[in-house]
Amino acid sequence: MTRVPMPGTRPADPRFSSGPTKKRPGWSLQALNGALLGRSHRSKPGKAKLKEAIDLTRTLLGVPADFKIAIVPASDTGAVEMVLWSVLGVRPVDVFAWESFGEEWVTDAAEQLKLEDCRIHVGRPYGTLPDLSLARKNADIVFTQNGTTSGAKIPDFDWIPADREGLAINDATSGAFAQPIEWSKCDVVTYSWQKVLGGEAAHGMLILSPRAVARLESYTPPRPLPKIFRMTKKGKLDQELFEGATINTPSLLAAEDYIDALKWADAIGGLNALHARANANTRVLTEWVARTPWVDFLVSDAAIRSNTSVCLKVVDARVTSRPAAVQAEFAKNLAAILEKEGVALDAASYRSAPPGLRIWCGATIESADVQSLTPWLDWAFDSCLALLKAG
């Protein structure tokens, strides 16, 4: 049998990690020259930098003028949890999950907060969504727009009642800037800098609708809240938090990097251009999968398939006929050989997801690099298959 030859062209940049993700094209350390290093984040210039990040976010994402935006601690996880712990409990709750991080919010709601009338809807197997039509009009809804570890996203926002009585809480961390957000259907949106725009980790973004603000000001949760979760003072929203003040000390170096990414996005055409870049990258993989018999998407339904965290599985019978442990080892070897050759770094599936590959296709990735990667995927599969036969 003829072996697949080693490709002659390598991706110019092999970083396909799903977070932190690759920096924007053309990025260099000079992009950070304006950072206020050694300055207090509470100084006038420090607050101005953070406010600039908030204002650029509003413009680029098209956030409505009456929504509040804050920079908060602990990345997207911190942003989601400070909301869950602050607003849930006054109404019934529906939590929808279909990947690892969404299931963390299930744990918060069911095991930590121990909410009454809390219904859990988990999509199984991996790559499928739960029944979104089960969202109750009178309930608070918690969901993940794009499942980073499963590669499944919501198809649209039509399933969220426009006349809902509860809040819709959208963990959009790997969807923001790559997929549309229907602001009229969201009361809370969170994400982190290290996903679609290739920023640094540890900082989260929290966006609140007027309805979410009203909940914060009218509801006192029956639980103690740590300092980093507190968004109100004397029953009113802490307005300074949404004007550049932060609960704890942010990195002004990381903030400068985020500002640089926002300005780059604006310069290339804004949100539409970011969406188009992610879609173009995913299209390259879609066309390759369509002509490649050994591989398929983990998410079979194209309508709910992510255009950022693209998850792939091996479907070749020479592998799938083997025991589960052998299949997992095969996928591990696939990622390892790609990394060894320096053509795809951090391309293994998430540790709790089914074994396979995960290729980040967000807006900072170049389509030419995805195109150059695909022959290497075929070569890596052929190489691992030869080892499997030899074993």
Side-chain angles (χ1 to χ4, degrees), residues 69-84:
I69 305 175
I71 298 168
V72 300
S75 194
D76 177 68
T77 299
V80 174
E81 292 200 320
M82 66 190 299
V83 169
L84 300 187

Side-chain angles (χ1 to χ4, degrees), residues 56-268:
L56 290 172
T57 296
R58 184 182 301 279
T59 299
L60 187 59
L61 278 179
V63 180
D66 56 352
F67 280 52
K68 302 290 186 179
I69 305 175
I71 298 168
V72 300
S75 194
D76 177 68
T77 299
V80 174
E81 292 200 320
M82 66 190 299
V83 169
L84 300 187
W85 287 69
S86 296
V87 306
L88 295 186
V90 67
R91 283 187 170 276
V93 179
D94 287 323
V95 185
F96 294 87
W98 48 89
E99 52 92 49
S100 303
F101 293 104
E103 290 179 22
E104 293 294 338
W105 317 145
V106 169
T107 299
D108 274 357
E111 299 180 20
Q112 299 299 319
L113 297 175
K114 302 184 186 302
L115 299 170
E116 296 182 6
D117 196 3
C118 178
R119 299 182 185 178
I120 305 302
H121 312 277
V122 178
R124 283 291 184 269
Y126 248 72
T128 60
L129 299 185
D131 185 353
L132 299 177
S133 70
L134 296 175
R136 291 173 289 175
K137 177 180 174 180
N138 69 326
D140 291 330
I141 303 167
V142 181
F143 66 98
T144 303
Q145 179 168 337
N146 183 87
T148 313
T149 67
S150 70
K153 66 179 180 69
I154 59 171
D156 50 49
F157 290 84
D158 294 348
W159 58 279
I160 299 175
D163 59 346
R164 63 192 177 281
E165 298 165 13
L167 301 179
I169 300 170
N170 176 10
D171 170 8
T173 193
S174 58
F177 300 105
Q179 300 163 10
I181 296 175
E182 192 171 337
W183 294 102
S184 65
K185 295 294 187 72
C186 297
D187 298 294
V188 177
V189 174
T190 68
Y191 66 91
S192 56
W193 295 352
Q194 77 265 27
K195 294 296 185 182
V196 175
L197 291 184
E200 293 302 301
H203 299 79
M205 297 300 288
L206 173 63
I207 306 176
L208 303 177
S209 75
R211 299 177 76 248
V213 172
R215 171 73 65 83
L216 283 167
E217 294 183 337
S218 63
Y219 173 61
T220 301
R223 63 189 73 95
L225 293 180
K227 177 183 177 181
I228 61 170
F229 284 8
R230 298 174 202 156
M231 291 177 277
T232 60
K233 289 182 177 179
K234 297 181 179 180
K236 293 295 182 182
L237 190 72
D238 183 359
Q239 296 290 345
E240 290 189 350
L241 179 59
F242 301 87
E243 293 294 330
T246 52
I247 294 174
N248 69 338
T249 306
S251 166
L252 292 176
L253 185 66
E256 191 69 29
D257 187 61
Y258 177 55
I259 290 170
D260 171 73
L262 291 166
K263 289 181 176 178
W264 164 77
D266 180 65
I268 66 169

Side-chain angles (χ1 to χ4, degrees), residues 304-361:
I304 64 168
R305 190 178 299 149
S306 173
N307 64 343
T308 57
S309 51
V310 179
C311 297
L312 303 170
K313 62 180 180 180
V314 176
V315 294
D316 191 287
R318 290 168 292 182
V319 178
T320 59
S321 62
R322 302 298 184 100
V326 175
Q327 295 183 52
E329 186 68 17
F330 187 91
K332 181 180 178 181
N333 290 339
L334 264 180
I337 196 170
L338 292 168
E339 183 141 353
K340 180 181 178 181
E341 290 297 328
V343 294
L345 308 179
D346 307 315
S349 58
Y350 190 70
R351 61 181 181 269
S352 60
L357 296 174
R358 182 172 57 158
I359 309 298
W360 183 257
C361 287

Side-chain angles (χ1 to χ4, degrees), residues 6-14 16 284-285 288 291 338 343-344 366-379:
M6 178 178 284
T9 301
R10 298 170 181 267
D13 196 312
F16 293 98
V284 172
L285 283 182
W288 170 72
R291 63 176 184 267
L338 292 168
V343 294
E366 300 280 24
S367 288
D369 284 336
V370 184
Q371 190 69 61
S372 297
L373 173 63
T374 55
W376 285 96
L377 296 175
D378 289 322
W379 174 83

Side-chain angles (χ1 to χ4, degrees), residues 39-47 50 227 240 244-250 252:
R39 291 299 307 273
S40 170
H41 62 294
R42 304 196 188 282
S43 67
K44 188 174 181 179
K47 283 187 177 181
L50 298 173
K227 177 183 177 181
E240 290 189 350
T246 52
I247 294 174
N248 69 338
T249 306
L252 292 176

Side-chain angles (χ1 to χ4, degrees), residues 254-306:
E256 191 69 29
D257 187 61
Y258 177 55
I259 290 170
D260 171 73
L262 291 166
K263 289 181 176 178
W264 164 77
D266 180 65
I268 66 169
L271 197 59
N272 288 338
L274 295 176
H275 290 186
R277 285 178 64 88
N279 290 338
N281 292 333
T282 306
R283 191 177 308 117
V284 172
L285 283 182
T286 300
E287 293 170 354
W288 170 72
V289 168
R291 63 176 184 267
T292 305
W294 67 264
V295 70
D296 201 355
F297 293 105
L298 183 61
V299 178
S300 59
D301 183 355
I304 64 168
R305 190 178 299 149
S306 173

